[in-house]
Amino acid sequence: MSKQGAKNWYIVDGYLPYAGKVEGEPFEGHEAVMILNCQDEAAEVSMDIYYEDRDPDEGIPILVPAKRVKCLRMDRPQDIGGIRLDRQLQYSLRFRSNIEVVIQYGRMDIAQPNLAYIGMMGYAEA
């Protein structure tokens, strides 16, 4: 079978944007991490959150069923092991999986009238 992702992923530009909503639109400021598991077995992923001014939150378990995608909203503690991230403060993420997965990150920033959506792949290592 060909390679289908990587086991170690890093996202270094975490920064929860302003929380407001755009009037009359469904847009809400947020960040999300998408984990794609193309394998025939569930992926057991461990997430670590690193901060500038305190010790990391480590070993947050995430289960991604076989041949499924898991979306984590970084502004929803229930998605990330009960951790409440402060808005407009820098953080970084490390993911370690028992099998190969693909991880992408996105941010909807509504702090200015033109809006901005940033989508990027994390840095990966085998």
Side-chain angles (χ1 to χ4, degrees), residues 10-53:
Y10 305 87
I11 297 169
V12 297
D13 186 26
Y15 185 84
L16 264 178
Y18 171 72
K21 287 191 169 196
V22 176
E23 189 174 328
E25 298 291 339
F27 305 123
E28 179 180 20
H30 73 278
E31 289 181 318
V33 173
M34 288 65 64
I35 305 173
L36 173 62
N37 178 7
C38 296
Q39 310 289 350
D40 292 328
E41 64 181 282
E44 297 172 6
V45 180
S46 178
M47 179 175 72
D48 303 326
I49 306 173
Y50 292 87
Y51 309 97
E52 288 183 306
D53 60 353

Side-chain angles (χ1 to χ4, degrees), residues 96-111:
R96 293 170 288 168
S97 179
N98 65 320
I99 60 174
E100 294 167 342
V101 295
V102 177
I103 295 183
Q104 184 170 339
Y105 160 87
R107 177 186 301 144
M108 171 62 73
D109 190 345
I110 64 164

Side-chain angles (χ1 to χ4, degrees), residues 8-16 31 46-60 74 80 83 85-86 89-96:
N8 298 300
W9 289 86
Y10 305 87
I11 297 169
V12 297
D13 186 26
Y15 185 84
L16 264 178
E31 289 181 318
S46 178
M47 179 175 72
D48 303 326
I49 306 173
Y50 292 87
Y51 309 97
E52 288 183 306
D53 60 353
R54 64 182 188 263
D55 290 339
D57 289 306
E58 297 179 289
I60 300 162
M74 301 306 291
I80 57 172
I83 305 298
L85 293 175
D86 294 330
L89 292 176
Q90 190 70 47
Y91 68 91
S92 295
L93 303 169
R94 174 176 65 173
F95 296 88
R96 293 170 288 168

Side-chain angles (χ1 to χ4, degrees), residues 57-83:
D57 289 306
E58 297 179 289
I60 300 162
I62 300 163
L63 183 66
V64 185
K67 298 188 177 184
R68 297 288 186 269
V69 64
K70 179 85 168 182
C71 179
L72 309 172
R73 279 279 299 258
M74 301 306 291
D75 60 337
R76 295 183 180 156
Q78 66 270 25
D79 286 1
I80 57 172
I83 305 298

